[in-house]
Amino acid sequence: MLVAGRWVLPAASGEANLKSENVEIHIIDDNFFLKWNSSSESVRNVTFSADYQILGTDNWKKLPGCQHITSSKCNFSSVELKDVFEKIELRIRAEEGNNTSTWYEVEPFVPFLEAQIGPPDVHLEAEDKAIILSISPPGTEDSIMWALDRSSFRYSVVIWKNSSSLEERTETVYSEDKIYKLSPEITYCLKVKAELRLQSRVGCYSPVYCINTTERHKVPSPENVQINVDNQAYVLKWDYPYESTTFQAQWLRAFLKKIPGKHSNKWKQIPNCENVTTTHCVFPRDIFSMGIYYVRVRASNGNGTSFWSEEKEFNTEVKPIIFPPVISMKSITDDSLHVSVGASEESENMSVNQLYPLVYEVIFWENTSNAERKVLEKRTDFTFPNLKPLTVYCVKARALIENDRWNKGSSYSDTVCEKTKPGNTSKTWLIAGICTALFSILVVIYVVRVFLRCVKYVFFPSSKPPSSVDQYFSDQPLRNLLLSTSEEQTERCFIIENASIITEIEETNEVDEVHEEYNSQASQDSGNYSNEDENSGSKISEEFLQQDSV
């Protein structure tokens, strides 16, 4: 309990030699108490009175409920305070008949800062596996102390089985809430205290309340309610053990739970999730604006309707979990590296990630240097040019949600390193070596061919004369005039009376001589030709003789 303790110096002794000391102020919610100790308790007919004023004013007022008090405490809750954040001054004195002590002033205090949060009032209702809590905030409905904080209270509940106080569990609930995961037909006890978390102020526990859960309900409630995002719709799923059952789903804005009072009539039907026969339903995303919501499901069959399932909270502003990408790097040339960024297996299995376009932050650096390059792009392929040959470079990346003002995303991927290819000098030497090898092969092939032709010409001559010679023997008469070069040429003379025939013979001899000379130069194998020539010559002579005789 918070206590405002103040010390009051002993008063100057009057006729009754009265003295009071150790004045304390207790404030619980809107209840104000003033307590003190007096050394004049043995004196009869002694009373006490107190006054108050707002700090900064000179107008002392009688403190209601604390006038002529015979005991050592008084309740001044009826005091009219317009602002619990203003400082108040108190003073008290002892009285006996016409004798009074001097006033003892209490150090000024702010009521709100000295106030203690009192225990809340609790009302319980039982289900087979849950207990419904209805909690009234500390203070009264018209409380001035917590007027600004009634919707800010959160409540801490300690619950246990009545048969075993050792199995306690603590949960944080709203003023209208449920405690789930209980067993049927069991007596549970609980106590509740209120908290103002932003102010780090905790109240005292309420009295202990106990209640029995009901017997197992004939129609069980759906379990494991989940809501996911698929493309442009929400998918609500749940588990249920029986078939031939219809289901209904509702939603509620989360901030309504913070408002004290009943809100069971504020739940709304989810479109496409009424009287469905499957254990899931799909509804459009645009029915929910940005914010936090609760959903619940219940089952129905011919025998009745189940209790509502455990309420599932979901936030439409919460982004999905982004897993780190998988990257690979490959050397393209001596001065560039190609980086590919892909989704991990976990991301591919989560269709919710498809709703949020991703950008990739890629960090690239030389392995021996701390200087980094940072690239932020939607594409998944990157090329880093102007690099050093035969140098190791490293890269890592992370995925970010596009247009996310908080710049939240995945953690960085594993670091991947790769070495660039050799430089241009080595490439030039490689090309020059290849060209030299090809030229050498061509030269060798040419030399071998020439050598083979020479061998063939020497060892395997052709039996047919060259085409350049053969064209001169196209006429059969001229061919017959060819004489063998191996045979010695002899001059033959004949007595011819006809002059015209002699001229013809001379011309024939001249031609014959030319052919014989050419034949001797062009052919080494003249044996066969010489025989033919001799025969031809003899035939010509016989013809001439016959003509002469005629």
Side-chain angles (χ1 to χ4, degrees), residues 228-235 282 285 351-352 354-355:
N228 298 317
V229 185
D230 187 7
N231 295 328
Q232 296 301 317
Y234 287 110
V235 180
V282 181
R285 294 183 62 198
S351 60
V352 68
Q354 300 175 2
L355 298 173

Side-chain angles (χ1 to χ4, degrees), residues 6-11 20-23 92 103-107:
R6 301 291 182 266
W7 177 261
V8 180
L9 296 177
S20 60
E21 59 186 20
N22 194 25
V23 178
I92 185 173
W103 291 103
Y104 299 99
E105 295 183 2
V106 180
E107 183 178 346

Side-chain angles (χ1 to χ4, degrees), residues 415-473:
T415 300
V416 176
C417 298
E418 183 69 23
K419 181 185 288 187
T420 53
K421 293 182 177 181
N424 294 329
T425 303
S426 300
K427 185 184 297 183
T428 302
W429 280 106
L430 180 61
I431 295 173
I434 293 174
C435 293
T436 302
L438 292 175
F439 180 75
S440 301
I441 292 172
L442 293 176
V443 170
V444 171
I445 292 174
Y446 177 77
V447 171
V448 170
R449 290 188 63 184
V450 171
F451 177 75
L452 292 176
R453 289 180 63 184
C454 293
V455 171
K456 183 178 180 182
Y457 182 80
V458 173
F459 294 98
F460 306 97
S462 176
S463 60
K464 185 179 179 181
S467 60
S468 60
V469 176
D470 190 61
Q471 66 182 349
Y472 291 99
F473 299 95

Side-chain angles (χ1 to χ4, degrees), residues 396-414:
K396 63 181 179 180
R398 65 171 179 162
L400 303 172
I401 298 177
E402 187 179 10
N403 300 324
D404 184 6
R405 60 179 180 175
W406 304 111
N407 199 28
K408 293 182 179 179
S410 70
S411 57
Y412 281 103
S413 65
D414 295 334

Side-chain angles (χ1 to χ4, degrees), residues 489-497 501-502 505-506 509 513 537 540-542 544-545 548:
Q489 300 295 327
T490 58
E491 185 177 356
R492 297 178 183 181
C493 297
F494 300 92
I495 298 174
I496 303 171
E497 292 182 0
I501 296 175
I502 296 172
I505 293 172
E506 290 177 354
N509 290 335
E513 290 176 0
I540 293 172
S541 299
E542 292 177 357
F544 285 148
L545 291 176
D548 184 54

Side-chain angles (χ1 to χ4, degrees), residues 231-288:
N231 295 328
Q232 296 301 317
Y234 287 110
V235 180
L236 183 63
K237 300 180 180 180
W238 57 89
D239 294 337
Y240 201 75
Y242 305 114
E243 298 180 353
S244 301
T245 307
T246 60
F247 303 94
Q248 178 186 7
Q250 294 182 342
W251 63 273
L252 176 73
R253 294 183 181 273
F255 75 86
L256 294 175
K257 282 182 165 288
K258 298 181 180 181
I259 301 175
K262 297 287 185 178
H263 46 71
S264 57
N265 60 342
K266 297 177 183 177
W267 286 86
K268 297 182 179 180
Q269 178 64 44
I270 299 178
N272 303 330
C273 293
E274 185 176 9
N275 297 326
V276 296
T277 57
T278 59
T279 57
H280 70 277
C281 60
V282 181
F283 51 95
R285 294 183 62 198
D286 55 10
I287 69 169
F288 292 126

